[in-house]
Amino acid sequence: MEALRQDDPRRFGRFTALARFHEGASAVRYVARDAATGEVVLVTAARPQLAAVPVFSRRFRAEARTAERLAGGWVSPPVDLGEEPEAPADGPEPLWTAAAYVPALPLAEAVAIAGPLPERALRILGAGIAEILSRVHASGSVLQGLAPGTVLLAADGPRLTAFGPLGAAASAEVGPGGQLSVRLGYLTPEQIEGKEVSAASDLFVLGLLLAYAATGTTPFTEGPAEEAARRIAEDEPELDAVPDPLRELIASCLAKDPAERPAAGTVAAELALEGAAGLARGGWLPERLAAAVTDQEARVLALEPPEDDTEPEAGPTEAAEAGAGAAESGPEETPEPEDARPEDPRTDGARPEDPRAVPEPQDARTAPEPADARPLPVPPADASQTNASPAGTPPADASPVNAPASQAPTAAPASASAPASDGDIGEDRGTTRFLNTGPRPPQSDRPTTQLALPHELTAPPGAALVPAAHPMPPALPAAPGTPQQPQPHQQPSHTQGGPAPYPAAALPAGPAGPGGPGGGPMVSLPLPPAPAPAPDPGASRRTLLTIAAAAVGGLVVGGGSVAALGSGDTAAATDDKPAPKPRRTLPGQAPEPRWIYAHPASESSPLTTAVWRDKLLVVTSESQASAVDLRTGKRLWQRADGAKGQAALAAGDDLVFVASPTEFLWLSPKNGKVVHRVRYTEAFTDLPGLTVGRLAGSSGPVIWFTGSHTVTVKAPKPKKGKKKEKDKEVVQAHFFAYDIVQRKELWRTSVPAGRSPGTPAYRVVAERSADVLVRQDAVSLTAAEVKAAKGKGSVRSFDQKTGKLLWTKKYGAASLEAATTGDEDGALYAAVGKDLQAFEADTTKPLWRVEGSDGSWFGTPLIAGPLIHTTERSRLVGAVERESGRLVWRRSTEVPGIGNAPSLTLSSSEKTLIAADAIQVTVFSAADGERLWKFQDIGSADPKGATVSAPYRALTFGETVVVQRDRSFYAFPVA
């Protein structure tokens, strides 16, 4: 973290910038505060020159939307996505997002401070990142956002800050005409072979990250540079320094064949069976890192807006003078930290253009460069096709494919008098080189794969390359009374505000790394296309975007296809290679869905969903009821009469029953035509104005529901000489049983009216041969009933044949909101505090108790033969013996944090248990709790798409589970 620079923005919407937090290739992160609420956030602001490129802007927002959909657990929720400009402005529009601030250190910085992480911290780090990857991979996507600078270590667990190639870019350049070149970090064997990346590629990078966190280096660093790519593609990784219990797992992640790498869910389970959040309870960071995080938090809380944040920005001259003044007469007179001073191999003296330059101490120089970290010399382009390279000309590999390459010398001796425009790639000012690599030789301008993007005006006239980083300002002073920052572990020096020391030989030169913006050749890396805007007939320039990963040791890898993106198009390969064969399903990865159905966006969102006779998926909404063929996922019909209907039921073998707000409907399953219609005003003529509540339950042809209506109670005749009182409007409520096959009422019984408007919400918790047990939702209790209950919930028993109320009982200390269910054998199971307890339903006698997690409570259990499947707010799912309460198994869904207890569903065979919550769907073997796979739909990549916050639901039929989230439905095979 460092002070704001002269040209840094001071405001982002409602947030005021306080300090720089971290500088990346494509964006800078700032600590900022909302002056009105005091909320502290991290603002990620794209570099203006990159933000001016339309394709960058679209992809930046698409990755921000991905972060929004993944929010929760180890992903800090975005609090503001910035405002997209409605009309072009004179200059580049600011492009930024804001996420909640969590005190944390980048992984690279943490390793620099305290050295390699201990085994327990490695497990929590790996499990947390694997849990995020599992959620991404469940939707069929690839993250491509892992790097030591994008993974943060917070007090309660890891955090991920990049959600696509742009966020994890190690280098980003923009040249004349709006050309954009982006390089990623690690290479994988499949990329070296010119193949497409997949979910397994994320696992390879995860293995590299864990090896780096465990050893302080990467496992492919030894050997000559010309064999670097061969080592990654063929050699076994050097993992001797990795803790023994983790070595085999990390080695499996680094398998050369993607099909042999474990799935993210498998990695998460092997590293932390109880989940990263569970393993991290009580703290997980080494003492020095915990102190550094605490110190950072104190410094952030002590930050105040810069005093000059309202004054106009100073010009270049004034900025230089201000910088010099700050260095000479700053408030603390403290010399710049040694590891923050840039080193230039071309001069040992002060740079004339750097007003703060001082002689560099001998011990600040970085270690010698490993052999395989040096770039390979590349022969210069033919002189007939090259031009002299003036100052500010982009590097060769940043030029468009059809543009002539710039001539650059193959070698240049270091000289203090070398001009800034000597033709070599040079090095960014104000940053620290990685491993003392020095200026790079010219690189090939022939990247393997390129994406040609729409003809759009990409940058305002005169837009230049992304400028080199500014000279580093003095470090921010520590907050008063805060502990001193721990001394760094002896690692290659790096700049706090610049790129962290990436592991040797597997990472490219970033904008502040070796060679500056021009460093490093490229290898193809596919990037999912972001939604393109409507064609702009006035645009005349072609923008070229190269998304690539920097090769080890200067290697350029061949292979790959060329994909063209036209305005409004999606990426499509233009070569004649056949489509790759589908990969086999890996453990932890969701199987291929049998079909996917998307509810039309032009219609209102689904209200209820139900499976009818294993043939139809019946969906009701505000506007209609519709049916989807469960065999094909195709919509068959829609019927407006079923608008706002409740879940469909089978009325015999040939009718679909739907209860609407005003009538019962019986629809044809073939075309949705109304076959029978019973209006409440006609069926219950003695209850005028009857309002029917939600269905309380069903069994075969019988449904139970509540209803209420308002009656006028005449005031009694007044006594002589007294004024007559007014008549009263009174709500009367009833509990009904109705046969939907015979279409007739079986019985009704009067019950107390509920909270306004008066219909109590009942739920049948058990059906027995003689009675049904019913529980009233706490939200529908009147204030008087809540007061009388004294915090304890109750269960009512109604006679099956007559509807007569038999008894009302309370069970232990079960609360008004406690999850409750029962079985046909006379047992009732209820959440009591943090535990699950079994009672005799008729006597309330306790039978057994299962202890739950601290700070959590049980959700509604699911009865399945001799077992009861349990679910907890701490995201634990399990099974206990129904007779004794003995715990059979308990597993985490691997969703971090605390939330609502997942809802449980069993497959038709009862072999598979499906747990669904607001984050994901997790599938277990019902017998032993083996985690089979997880699924998450992260939603559309459309930057303007609506945010989906609806929880997941699961409905089963035959050997299929239909997973729903809002408008999206996926049919997966299950046992």
Side-chain angles (χ1 to χ4, degrees), residues 142 163 222 310 370 464 494 523 560 601 692 713 744-745 748 897 906:
V142 183
F163 305 93
E222 297 299 330
T310 58
H494 70 286
V523 64
V692 173
V713 178
K744 71 174 185 179
E745 179 184 345
R748 81 177 73 156
L906 275 171

Side-chain angles (χ1 to χ4, degrees), residues 239-426:
L239 300 175
D240 292 343
V242 174
D244 291 342
L246 303 181
R247 190 174 301 143
E248 182 178 353
L249 178 61
I250 294 178
S252 66
C253 292
L254 296 174
K256 308 304 179 186
D257 184 357
E260 295 180 359
R261 297 171 200 157
T266 301
V267 173
E270 291 194 24
L271 289 173
L273 185 60
E274 65 272 55
L279 187 58
R281 288 193 183 102
W284 70 291
L285 292 176
E287 185 177 351
R288 297 181 69 182
L289 296 183
V293 170
T294 301
D295 175 69
Q296 179 196 104
E297 181 179 18
R299 295 172 66 193
V300 166
L301 294 177
L303 287 173
E304 295 294 340
E307 295 180 359
D308 60 345
D309 63 350
T310 58
E311 297 184 13
E313 293 186 4
T317 303
E318 291 86 340
E321 294 173 354
E328 296 172 2
S329 60
E332 293 201 5
E333 298 291 332
T334 303
E336 182 181 11
E338 293 178 359
D339 66 350
R341 291 178 185 142
E343 178 186 9
D344 193 337
R346 294 172 293 187
T347 176
D348 290 330
R351 300 187 185 97
E353 69 273 22
D354 186 351
R356 300 188 303 109
V358 294
E360 182 181 22
Q362 183 69 24
D363 60 359
R365 295 193 176 100
T366 54
E369 177 188 15
D372 64 352
R374 300 188 183 103
L376 291 174
V378 180
D382 190 276
S384 63
Q385 298 179 356
T386 59
N387 300 316
S389 179
T393 301
D397 66 349
S399 303
V401 172
N402 298 326
S406 299
Q407 179 75 27
T410 57
S415 172
S417 62
S421 58
D422 59 0
D424 66 10
I425 294 174

Side-chain angles (χ1 to χ4, degrees), residues 10 85 189 205 268 288 339 342 539 580 666 768 872:
R10 294 309 195 256
V205 180
R288 297 181 69 182
D339 66 350
W666 286 260
R768 305 190 294 184
E872 297 181 58

Side-chain angles (χ1 to χ4, degrees), residues 38-84:
E39 179 183 21
V40 179
V41 298
L42 277 185
V43 172
T44 301
R47 296 184 180 276
Q49 292 82 356
L50 299 179
V53 180
V55 68
F56 179 94
S57 175
R58 290 197 301 273
R59 293 184 189 278
F60 182 92
R61 294 188 183 280
E63 291 186 14
R65 290 290 184 184
T66 299
E68 186 177 36
R69 294 181 178 95
L70 288 174
W74 310 127
V75 177
S76 296
V79 296
D80 198 324
L81 298 184
E83 295 184 0
E84 190 168 2

Side-chain angles (χ1 to χ4, degrees), residues 857-883:
W857 57 77
F858 282 88
T860 303
L862 181 63
I863 298 172
L867 298 179
I868 298 176
H869 293 291
T870 63
T871 174
E872 297 181 58
R873 186 170 175 260
S874 57
R875 320 292 184 139
L876 293 175
V877 174
V880 299
E881 289 182 352
R882 186 169 158 190
E883 184 69 25

Side-chain angles (χ1 to χ4, degrees), residues 475-732:
L476 289 172
T482 57
Q484 193 71 17
Q485 184 76 11
Q487 293 299 317
H489 181 75
Q490 293 302 317
Q491 294 286 341
S493 62
H494 70 286
T495 302
Q496 188 81 317
Y502 281 53
L507 295 170
M522 296 176 287
V523 64
S524 62
L525 190 67
L527 177 67
D536 181 4
S540 59
R541 293 187 180 180
R542 170 165 292 276
T543 306
L544 184 67
L545 170 66
T546 303
I547 299 297
V552 177
L555 178 70
V556 175
V557 182
S561 61
V562 177
L565 288 182
S567 185
D569 296 336
T570 56
T574 59
D575 61 2
D576 296 327
K577 294 181 181 179
K581 295 181 180 180
R583 290 180 54 201
R584 64 183 179 87
T585 300
L586 299 175
Q589 180 176 344
E592 288 293 321
R594 303 184 192 274
W595 50 258
I596 300 174
Y597 167 70
H599 193 71
S602 58
E603 301 176 10
S604 54
S605 297
L607 294 175
T608 68
T609 311
V611 169
W612 182 86
R613 292 288 184 193
D614 290 0
K615 297 178 180 179
L616 298 180
L617 180 71
V618 182
V619 180
T620 65
S621 67
E622 291 283 344
S623 57
Q624 62 189 9
S626 56
V628 175
D629 190 333
L630 285 175
R631 297 171 303 168
T632 65
K634 304 294 184 182
R635 185 150 86 164
L636 300 178
W637 50 260
Q638 57 261 22
R639 178 65 58 178
D641 300 80
K644 301 180 182 179
Q646 299 191 50
L649 299 171
D653 295 330
D654 55 357
L655 292 176
V656 179
F657 172 83
V658 175
S660 82
T662 59
E663 59 189 349
F664 291 147
L665 297 173
W666 286 260
L667 309 178
S668 168
K670 296 180 179 180
N671 53 25
K673 181 181 179 180
V674 176
V675 178
H676 302 290
R677 185 193 309 267
V678 174
R679 293 183 174 87
Y680 303 147
T681 55
E682 299 172 355
F684 308 99
T685 55
D686 57 332
L687 302 174
L690 178 68
T691 298
V692 173
R694 74 170 191 213
L695 298 184
S698 65
S699 177
V702 178
I703 62 171
W704 295 282
F705 62 92
T706 55
S708 65
H709 74 121
T710 302
V711 298
T712 302
V713 178
K714 296 288 186 179
K717 185 177 180 180
K719 295 181 179 180
K720 186 176 181 180
K722 297 291 184 180
K723 185 178 180 181
K724 183 180 180 181
E725 297 180 1
K726 294 182 178 180
D727 295 341
K728 294 182 180 179
E729 300 291 323
V730 177
V731 175
Q732 294 181 348

